[in-house]
């Protein structure tokens, strides 16, 4: 264990490796913002190596102070644009975590890895810890890449992935919420700028297609990472009865979301199951404590959500946008 100005630093789960690094106040109630310079230095020293830092035992000071903490790292906080899940704005640059029912789990994923643009930094603040469950499991994306079967890794890297989304119709988030506008011309301008194909369907709803990376190279460390949401977007992620019910009322091309190889050919169900098995093996889970703040490098660490009971409130901030299309 090392100490810096009464701040304790050690791996939270040493048997699982360096992720996440625990940065703990020596005494309860130390102000998070009061020690920002020291904490920022620790992040600079360790985040590229461990992928995530958990700040525990500090007095965060509430959502507004959490926002100030994330913003102080020097990059303006990002709006949740081209999102794929329902969220609510809490304050400028701070959002609720995904508003799915408590009984549902959310698979491991890197934020917005289904696009060519994503945040490099993401923060989670546990305002209210669930009565049971509600963890935010994480995984080292470098380890996922290394453990992925070579045939899948090579096929995904060469073919890339095509994400197909159909918005609205009571089945998924409406395009107005995803693009934060009711103006079709604004949507079309966004799609042009981000290499997204779009079409307005006869019912007035929107369909988009975008070909994106399946693996990526971290721009600063050079590490190869598994970086996509194929297992989450693919229709096989739905429970079988839900999938069958949906396909009784819509054609496959009208499913709320689905993913194919970049050339438009189907991804085999068996391949997705093998991918999910690797992700499950790499998952690292720990219980939230109220006041915890988790900071992740969004390319080096994936995150998820476990089912829970009782009230739970985790808010999220993102920063340092990165664009694969400009590499």
């Amino acid at each position: 264990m090392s100490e810096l100005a009464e701040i304790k630093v050690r791996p939270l789960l040493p048997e699982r490796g360096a992720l996440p690094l625990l940065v703990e106040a020596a005494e309860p109630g130390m102000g998070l913002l009061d020690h920002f310079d020291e904490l920022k230095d620790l992040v600079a020293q360790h985040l590229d190596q461990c992928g995530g830092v958990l700040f525990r035992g500090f007095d965060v000071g509430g959502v507004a102070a959490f926002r100030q903490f994330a913003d102080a790292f020097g990059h303006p906080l990002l709006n949740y644009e081209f999102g794929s899940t329902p969220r609510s704005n809490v304050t400028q640059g701070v959002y609720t975590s995904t508003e799915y029912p408590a009984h549902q789990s959310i698979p491991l994923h890197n934020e917005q890895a289904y696009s060519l643009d994503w945040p490099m930094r993401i923060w989670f603040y546990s305002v209210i810890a669930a009565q049971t469950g509600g963890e935010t499991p994480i995984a080292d994306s470098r380890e996922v890449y290394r453990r992925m079967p070579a045939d899948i890794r090579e096929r995904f890297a060469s073919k890339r992935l095509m994400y197909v989304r159909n918005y609205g119709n009571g089945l998924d988030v409406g395009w107005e919420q995803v693009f934060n506008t009711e103006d079709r011309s604004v949507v079309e301008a966004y799609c042009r700028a981000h290499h997204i194909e779009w079409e307005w369907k006869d019912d007035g709803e929107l369909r988009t297609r975008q070909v994106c990376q399946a693996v990526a190279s971290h721009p600063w460390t050079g590490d190869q990472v598994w970086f996509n949401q194929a297992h989450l977007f693919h229709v096989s992620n739905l429970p079988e009865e839900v999938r069958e019910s949906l396909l009784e009322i819509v054609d496959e091309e009208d499913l709320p979301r689905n993913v194919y190889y970049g050339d438009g050919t189907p991804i085999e169900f068996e391949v997705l199951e093998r991918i999910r098995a690797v992700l499950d093996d790499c998952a690292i889970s720990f219980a939230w404590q109220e006041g915890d703040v988790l900071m992740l490098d969004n390319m080096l660490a994936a995150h998820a959500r476990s089912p829970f009971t009782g009230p739970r409130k985790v808010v999220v901030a993102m920063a340092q946008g990165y664009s694969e299309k400009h590499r």
Side-chain angles (χ1 to χ4, degrees):
M1 179 182 296
S2 64
E3 292 189 6
L4 178 62
E6 299 183 329
I7 296 171
K8 303 176 182 180
V9 183
R10 60 181 173 83
L12 177 67
L13 303 168
E15 69 279 6
R16 297 301 306 271
L19 176 70
L21 184 72
L22 176 63
V23 175
E24 190 173 18
E27 298 180 359
M30 292 173 61
L32 189 70
L33 287 171
D34 294 339
H35 293 270
F36 178 78
D37 290 341
E38 295 159 278
L39 299 179
K40 184 178 181 181
D41 287 344
L42 284 170
V43 167
Q45 292 172 33
H46 297 288
L47 190 64
D48 285 353
Q49 176 185 357
C50 65
V53 177
L54 176 65
F55 303 99
R56 173 166 285 176
F58 294 91
D59 179 6
V60 179
V63 172
F66 164 70
R67 182 195 184 284
Q68 186 179 350
F69 176 75
D71 190 57
F73 281 89
H75 297 275
L77 301 185
L78 300 173
N79 293 324
Y80 186 54
E81 292 186 333
F82 198 50
S84 65
T85 58
R87 302 187 185 206
S88 299
N89 183 55
V90 178
T91 186
Q92 181 62 42
V94 178
Y95 297 82
T96 58
S97 56
T98 297
E99 296 172 348
Y100 280 171
H103 70 275
Q104 292 185 8
S105 61
I106 300 174
L108 281 166
H109 63 284
N110 304 83
E111 195 68 31
Q112 296 186 302
Y114 54 81
S115 72
L116 295 174
D117 304 87
W118 56 81
M120 292 296 295
R121 299 285 185 254
I122 184 166
W123 294 263
F124 303 84
Y125 169 32
S126 175
V127 183
I128 300 173
Q131 181 180 349
T132 64
E135 300 88 354
T136 297
I138 54 180
D140 188 322
S141 300
R142 295 164 292 193
E143 184 68 14
V144 175
Y145 177 85
R146 288 191 290 266
R147 292 198 195 184
M148 198 61 60
D151 61 319
I152 295 178
R153 197 169 59 206
E154 292 164 7
R155 191 183 319 165
F156 271 50
S158 63
K159 287 195 169 187
R160 309 182 80 201
L161 296 170
M162 177 190 292
Y163 295 92
V164 180
R165 299 180 63 179
N166 289 278
Y167 307 83
N169 278 330
L171 300 176
D172 205 359
V173 183
W175 61 263
E176 298 89 345
Q177 183 178 350
V178 171
F179 293 93
N180 298 314
T181 183
E182 296 183 358
D183 187 335
R184 289 189 177 193
S185 66
V186 173
V187 173
E188 293 170 3
Y190 182 96
C191 290
R192 277 192 294 269
H194 294 82
H195 302 272
I196 300 169
E197 295 181 10
W198 78 91
E199 60 178 296
W200 297 103
K201 300 190 290 184
D202 292 342
D203 60 4
E205 295 293 354
L206 175 68
R207 176 186 294 134
T208 61
R209 298 181 182 86
Q210 188 178 33
V211 176
C212 303
Q213 70 293 317
V215 301
S217 176
H218 194 283
W220 308 322
T221 70
D223 291 313
Q224 290 295 107
V225 296
W226 187 255
F227 196 76
N228 63 76
Q229 291 192 19
H231 64 293
L232 198 157
F233 265 71
H234 195 266
V235 64
S236 63
N237 186 50
L238 296 172
E240 184 176 1
E241 63 275 12
V242 175
R243 183 168 70 241
E244 292 177 352
S245 296
L246 267 177
L247 289 171
E248 288 178 0
I249 59 175
V250 299
D251 295 331
E252 182 176 324
E253 66 175 359
D254 290 314
L255 286 168
R257 62 187 72 180
N258 206 354
V259 61
Y260 304 84
Y261 291 118
D263 59 8
T265 55
I267 303 174
E268 302 85 350
F269 276 46
E270 181 267 344
V271 167
L272 274 300
E273 289 307 303
R274 293 168 68 193
I275 290 171
R276 293 184 181 106
V278 174
L279 289 166
D280 288 345
D281 286 344
C282 291
I284 301 164
S285 187
F286 58 91
W288 280 118
Q289 294 182 14
E290 290 186 3
D292 281 353
V293 173
L294 176 66
M295 179 179 183
L296 300 180
D297 180 301
N298 183 45
M299 290 189 73
L300 298 181
H303 62 276
R305 192 200 74 182
S306 299
F308 62 93
T309 63
R312 177 186 187 269
K313 183 176 182 180
V314 175
V315 297
V316 181
M318 299 175 284
Q320 205 163 356
Y322 177 79
S323 181
E324 179 72 6
K325 64 182 181 290
H326 293 150
R327 283 180 69 90

